[in-house]
């Protein structure tokens, strides 16, 4: 394996002759999530062979965002790149060095499509979408309609909103009013899409399926092609949005932390498993039951979470998504 100090970063840009947005498409932000890498390589091969033409704007492909984690076939190199994603004057780990290259690259673009996969044994693809337009302190944003219009054309039917609000609520609870700690830990919640929005663009994270699902690269490929067509980067028919009556839109509402090593789930939960109001989800180390405060779906359950870290999120339906 090549030492991390000798690895390099690669992006490939194709620019058309007509005006249009600057789009960036990324794979392997987490090194063992390679469906995006495979789909990007397929699209680039078609462009290089003359089978696909970039006519307007530009598209930048980053097949492997984190080459250290990719070489190890692990989620992270030294740490999770998709947290605390900011340029660092004094980089301390490999992911800091990725950020010092990647953040300025993101800032030169208008739209990001970040392609991921997930570890759960089963589950359908879903897209993580940003907030409604707002000028608040947590995640100010002004491109909700553009972002959600693109999300509905990626080729999936499940949408999840509310990451920073739910994450931030958990951070605020843990910080106990310490303003400096609150700001520091909130920054930890910033990944590729959050950073992209902070630069004035808009961004989507597409979870294309389980890591080893042979259908995941096709989901990623369809999303890339639909994005390029919808934004008129290529000359192709505009993809139709998923119909409202076929969509499942969920809002992340609350995060529950693991408080002690002895906290445990009552069964093996997977993301999007339904829960009924009052249904028992787990039990605290001291024997207190942990129950769902409302009916919805569980998201990102982590049986191996450390104390004072996110244990699971609860979501509820978001009936107005895409109609705002």
């Amino acid at each position: 394996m090549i030492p991390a100090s000798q690895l390099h970063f690669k992006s490939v840009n194709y620019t058309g002759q007509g005006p249009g947005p600057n789009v960036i498409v990324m794979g392997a932000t987490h090194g063992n999530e390679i469906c995006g890498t495979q789909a990007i390589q397929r699209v680039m091969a078609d462009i290089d062979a003359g089978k696909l033409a970039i006519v307007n704007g530009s598209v930048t492909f980053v097949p492997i965002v984190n080459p250290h984690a990719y070489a190890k076939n692990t989620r992270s190199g030294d740490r999770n790149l998709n947290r605390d994603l900011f340029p660092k004057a004094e980089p301390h780990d490999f992911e800091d060095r990725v950020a010092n290259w990647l953040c300025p690259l993101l800032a030169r673009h208008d739209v990001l499509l970040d392609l991921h996969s997930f570890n759960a044994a089963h589950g359908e693809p879903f897209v993580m979408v940003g907030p409604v337009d707002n000028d608040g302190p947590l995640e100010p944003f002004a491109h909700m309609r553009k972002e959600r219009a693109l999300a509905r054309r990626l080729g999936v039917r499940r949408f999840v909103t509310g990451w920073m609000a739910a994450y931030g609520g958990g951070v605020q609870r843990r910080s106990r009013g310490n303003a400096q700690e609150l700001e520091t830990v909130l920054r930890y919640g910033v990944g590729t899409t959050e950073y992209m929005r902070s630069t004035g663009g808009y961004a989507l994270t597409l979870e294309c399926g389980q890591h080893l699902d042979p259908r995941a690269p096709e989901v990623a490929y369809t999303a890339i092609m639909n994005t390029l067509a919808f934004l008129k980067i290529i000359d192709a028919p505009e993809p139709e949005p998923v119909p409202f009556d076929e969509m499942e839109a969920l809002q992340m509402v609350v995060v529950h932390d693991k408080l002690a090593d002895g906290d445990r789930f009552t069964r093996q939960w997977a993301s999007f498993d339904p829960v009924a109001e009052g249904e028992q989800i787990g039990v605290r180390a001291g024997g207190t039951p942990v129950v769902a405060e409302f009916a919805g779906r569980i998201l990102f359950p982590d049986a191996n979470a450390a104390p004072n870290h996110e244990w699971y999120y609860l979501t509820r339906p978001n009936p107005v998504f895409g109609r705002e």
Side-chain angles (χ1 to χ4, degrees), residues 16 23 27 71 80 87 91 95 107 113 118 121 171 182-183 187 195 200 204 212 258 270 295 305-306 308 314 316:
V23 180
N80 186 353
E95 278 72 12
L113 176 62
F118 49 78
V171 169
L182 178 62
E183 180 179 355
R187 283 173 60 91
Y195 186 83
L204 297 168
L212 301 179
K258 195 171 190 178
N308 298 313
L314 280 183
R316 60 163 46 112

Side-chain angles (χ1 to χ4, degrees), residues 256-309:
H256 289 274
D257 294 342
K258 195 171 190 178
L259 302 181
D261 282 328
D263 293 355
R264 58 181 176 82
F265 290 128
T266 52
R267 69 176 180 87
Q268 186 175 347
W269 293 98
S271 283
F272 302 108
D273 281 346
V275 295
E277 182 177 350
E279 182 175 355
Q280 187 170 355
I281 293 174
V283 60
R284 296 295 183 187
T288 303
V290 178
V291 300
E293 57 263 61
F294 55 84
R297 292 185 183 271
I298 197 168
L299 191 62
F300 305 142
D302 185 1
N304 297 315
N308 298 313
H309 286 73

Side-chain angles (χ1 to χ4, degrees), residues 188-262:
Y188 184 74
V190 172
T192 58
T193 51
E194 292 78 24
Y195 186 83
M196 185 71 185
R197 295 186 193 109
S198 77
T199 69
Y202 61 96
L204 297 168
T205 293
L206 178 62
E207 298 282 354
C208 300
Q210 201 275 338
H211 295 330
L212 301 179
D213 188 336
R215 296 168 293 184
E218 188 66 31
V219 172
Y221 176 80
T222 297
I224 296 171
M225 295 300 292
N226 285 3
T227 296
L228 298 181
F230 181 61
L231 299 177
K232 304 188 186 307
I233 304 295
I234 60 175
D235 184 10
E238 181 174 309
E240 292 292 327
V242 60
F244 284 117
D245 60 0
E246 295 180 13
M247 292 168 46
E248 182 181 23
L250 300 167
Q251 177 79 18
M252 298 175 71
V253 177
V254 63
V255 58
H256 289 274
D257 294 342
K258 195 171 190 178
L259 302 181
D261 282 328

Side-chain angles (χ1 to χ4, degrees), residues 106-130:
L106 290 172
R108 295 197 293 271
H109 291 80
D110 306 307
V111 186
L112 164 66
L113 176 62
D114 194 8
L115 300 164
H116 288 247
S117 58
F118 49 78
N119 190 46
H122 59 85
E124 66 178 88
F126 65 96
V127 57
M128 299 285 293
V129 186

Side-chain angles (χ1 to χ4, degrees), residues 4 68 77-79 84 86-100:
H68 185 31
D78 296 328
R79 64 170 179 85
D84 191 27
F86 293 95
K88 305 290 173 54
E90 297 182 3
H92 294 292
D93 51 43
F94 185 80
E95 278 72 12
D96 284 350
R97 292 176 173 84
V98 177
N100 284 349

